[in-house]
Amino acid sequence: MEIKVYNSLTNKVEKFVPLQEGKVSMYVCGPTVYNYPHIGNMRPVVVFDVLRRFFSYIGYEVTYVSNFTDVDDKIIKEAIKEGKSEKELTEFFINEFKKTTLAIGSLLPNVTPKVTEYVNHIIKYVDNLVKIGAAYVVDGDVYFRVNKIKDYGALSGINLDDLIVGARIEENSQKESPLDFALWKKTNVGISWPSPWGNGRPGWHTECCVMIDTIFPSHYIDIHGGGYDLKFPHHENEIAQSMATHSNRIAKYWMHNAFINFGNEKMSKSLGNIVLAKDMLEKYGGPLTRMVILSAHYRQPVNFTDETVLSADTETKKIMMAVKQAALLLQANNIYINEGKATYINKFIESLADDLNTSNALTEVYNIVKMINADVRNPQVDLNDLNNKFKSLNDMLMILGLDIRYVEMSEEDKKTYQNYSISKKNKDFEQSDKYRKILSDKGIM
């Protein structure tokens, strides 16, 4: 099967060819943990979770890494404000982020490194950059020499002349160039570590480089992902350091998701329209929230409006109904659900293979829901064929991370359903309502 992804580095849709046959290595930039995640933080969590599930389903062995930034100026400031240690604060919000990840239907990554666990590695990495002349020390701070990288700006398409003019407004006189960025920061406030340059802490752009460098022995991975806002300066600066250290751009493919908007406006603190993920999940539930996110292609904005939520709610309920009705009919007729074959899933898989087109993949989900609904109403239905459709639908939902389940029926439940069917056929509505309520209370009908 040919898989295509849009590579932000080349601005082209490219054929995906893994570095190692049968294996996929992925790294996605995670959150800075000083507050509850907002719903925008959940888009990469959902997008790259589906990508991981897709690769796994078609037979790849996937190593998926996403980090926690647990040292940062914002963390130090919030910890001081709350009267807590940085570790107390970050551990709480790491757990909250994991809970939110699971609540929205995503799997936890294979590895979730914390920056504080890699400080010694970071110091060695920065020290090497200094030794090879790609970085320099000024009064305990260490800066990267951007002019050492010939094609700096290749990922983001930044115009360096414009960047220099803008940077001069806030020029740091310690730097050789206003474009140079911090690898190590001298500090006497908050958490710090001893280093060859004095007590300090890592610069943000170095942290992900070092975690990738340490976790993946090849120092080069298949996919590096994150939100579109990370292209510059974060990902651009990661590439610069890796070019200086290993003469590579960290990843063969760079993938970036677009933002989540509310009422066609981008979420921002200045507009005061930041919505916490936990509030969205409490209001709408995991499957519905996830459906809205998946309804748009990952490179297009997601708009949370009354219309998109209503549409997703309608479709989610249709899917839930189809799953329950098919499971009921199959089990009541002693058809073994786990023996179904996903013979109707090809177009769905092809949609995801085409640059993770979840909107087209959902169209295939809706199509098979219609087919299942028609089968459920058909007295002459081929139950084995229905079972294959049911298996196909369940595999689709599993890949999309939509946790829509059915209840496994006991022998007693099957007898209740048979009695219900007989009562209904005989127009004994009082009895049929009684049996229906028993099954309904168990979530079967």
Side-chain angles (χ1 to χ4, degrees):
M1 171 188 293
E2 182 173 282
I3 300 167
K4 294 179 289 186
V5 297
Y6 183 86
N7 190 349
S8 299
L9 189 61
T10 61
N11 291 320
K12 292 178 183 175
V13 174
E14 298 178 3
K15 180 180 178 181
F16 177 79
V17 181
L19 297 168
Q20 274 188 281
E21 188 176 352
K23 295 185 177 182
V24 176
S25 49
M26 290 173 55
Y27 182 96
V28 176
C29 289
T32 300
V33 281
Y34 66 98
N35 205 336
Y36 293 101
H38 59 71
I39 191 63
N41 298 137
M42 290 295 106
R43 191 159 195 202
V45 169
V46 170
V47 166
F48 291 101
D49 177 65
V50 174
L51 185 62
R52 170 206 190 167
R53 289 169 182 261
F54 165 69
F55 277 128
S56 296
Y57 186 82
I58 61 175
Y60 283 94
E61 179 187 330
V62 182
T63 302
Y64 177 34
V65 180
S66 187
N67 73 297
F68 290 111
T69 297
D70 60 344
V71 54
D72 185 84
D73 286 339
K74 293 173 183 175
I75 290 170
I76 293 167
K77 183 179 178 181
E78 190 66 22
I80 292 170
K81 178 184 169 185
E82 294 292 325
K84 298 177 179 177
S85 69
E86 290 91 344
K87 185 174 177 61
E88 285 177 307
L89 184 80
T90 56
E91 286 298 317
F92 175 82
F93 285 117
I94 284 170
N95 288 330
E96 287 300 310
F97 193 89
K98 287 181 177 179
K99 285 197 291 189
T100 305
T101 296
L102 295 172
I104 207 166
S106 291
L107 304 170
L108 295 178
N110 300 116
V111 187
T112 52
K114 303 170 191 171
V115 172
T116 53
E117 299 168 339
Y118 286 80
V119 173
N120 288 337
H121 295 284
I122 292 169
I123 291 170
K124 288 177 184 176
Y125 190 92
V126 173
D127 192 42
N128 178 65
L129 289 171
V130 173
K131 286 174 179 174
I132 64 176
Y136 56 95
V137 184
V138 181
D139 191 26
D141 292 327
V142 185
Y143 296 100
F144 186 87
R145 285 190 174 100
V146 167
N147 64 12
K148 289 289 182 181
I149 307 302
K150 290 181 180 179
D151 62 349
Y152 183 81
L155 175 70
S156 57
I158 288 289
N159 183 308
L160 291 190
D161 292 336
D162 292 343
L163 198 61
I164 289 170
V165 171
R168 280 180 181 150
I169 297 170
E170 301 178 9
E171 188 168 350
N172 182 336
S173 59
Q174 288 187 315
K175 296 182 184 181
E176 295 176 356
S177 163
L179 298 184
D180 295 347
F181 56 89
L183 306 178
W184 185 264
K185 299 180 179 182
K186 178 179 69 176
T187 182
N188 54 14
V189 178
I191 190 168
S192 65
W193 291 265
S195 79
W197 322 287
N199 276 14
R201 60 178 184 80
W204 178 38
H205 307 308
T206 306
E207 296 163 355
C208 290
C209 288
V210 173
M211 286 184 276
I212 291 170
D213 215 53
T214 309
I215 294 167
F216 297 99
S218 66
H219 313 309
Y220 192 55
I221 60 175
D222 290 302
I223 296 170
H224 194 318
Y228 184 83
D229 55 327
L230 295 180
K231 284 178 78 172
F232 185 86
H234 187 49
H235 288 165
E236 197 72 71
N237 290 347
E238 282 186 51
I239 289 174
Q241 293 169 83
S242 188
M243 286 296 292
T245 305
H246 298 299
S247 300
N248 69 38
R249 294 185 175 88
I250 296 181
K252 189 175 180 182
Y253 306 94
W254 287 78
M255 297 178 69
H256 294 91
N257 62 269
F259 302 121
I260 290 179
N261 301 332
F262 277 84
N264 297 312
E265 277 190 332
K266 180 189 169 186
M267 278 198 305
S268 73
K269 289 178 181 174
S270 61
L271 291 173
N273 62 351
I274 295 292
V275 179
L276 296 181
K278 67 185 183 73
D279 294 338
M280 289 289 289
L281 291 167
E282 185 178 339
K283 183 175 182 180
Y284 297 121
L288 174 54
T289 306
R290 193 174 178 100
M291 275 283 281
V292 176
I293 293 174
L294 294 176
S295 63
H297 190 278
Y298 76 92
R299 289 191 284 116
Q300 299 297 323
V302 167
N303 291 318
F304 266 92
T305 63
D306 291 342
E307 291 78 14
T308 58
V309 169
L310 180 61
S311 175
D313 184 45
T314 301
E315 297 300 341
T316 303
K317 286 174 178 173
K318 285 180 183 176
I319 295 167
M320 291 174 71
M321 183 64 72
V323 167
K324 286 191 174 186
Q325 294 280 35
L328 171 62
L329 184 58
L330 292 167
Q331 291 182 97
N333 285 277
N334 293 314
I335 300 293
Y336 293 100
I337 288 175
N338 60 356
E339 291 181 1
K341 296 177 175 60
T343 53
Y344 290 85
I345 203 170
N346 289 353
K347 287 184 178 179
F348 173 89
I349 293 295
E350 286 168 7
S351 296
L352 295 182
D354 183 16
D355 192 30
L356 202 69
N357 196 325
T358 54
S359 51
N360 284 356
L362 280 171
T363 297
E364 295 306 317
V365 171
Y366 305 148
N367 286 340
I368 203 162
V369 163
K370 289 177 185 175
M371 294 165 67
I372 287 172
N373 287 339
D375 280 354
V376 167
R377 292 192 295 269
N378 180 7
Q380 307 301 320
V381 61
D382 181 337
L383 290 172
N384 289 320
D385 183 57
L386 174 59
N387 202 15
N388 292 342
K389 290 169 186 167
F390 185 72
K391 168 66 174 171
S392 300
L393 176 58
N394 274 281
D395 282 10
M396 292 176 184
L397 298 178
M398 181 272 294
I399 294 168
L400 294 175
L402 293 167
D403 187 17
I404 297 173
R405 302 179 185 181
Y406 60 90
V407 178
E408 293 190 17
M409 294 172 69
S410 65
E411 291 303 314
E412 183 183 346
D413 294 331
K414 292 176 185 178
K415 288 177 183 176
T416 302
Y417 179 72
Q418 289 164 3
N419 290 333
Y420 162 73
S421 298
I422 292 168
S423 300
K424 188 178 177 183
K425 186 177 181 180
N426 293 335
K427 296 186 178 181
D428 185 349
F429 299 121
E430 185 178 344
Q431 279 297 101
S432 69
D433 286 347
K434 173 187 166 186
Y435 293 127
R436 182 183 178 87
K437 186 177 186 311
I438 294 170
L439 296 170
S440 178
D441 287 346
K442 292 185 175 184
I444 296 170
M445 291 189 74

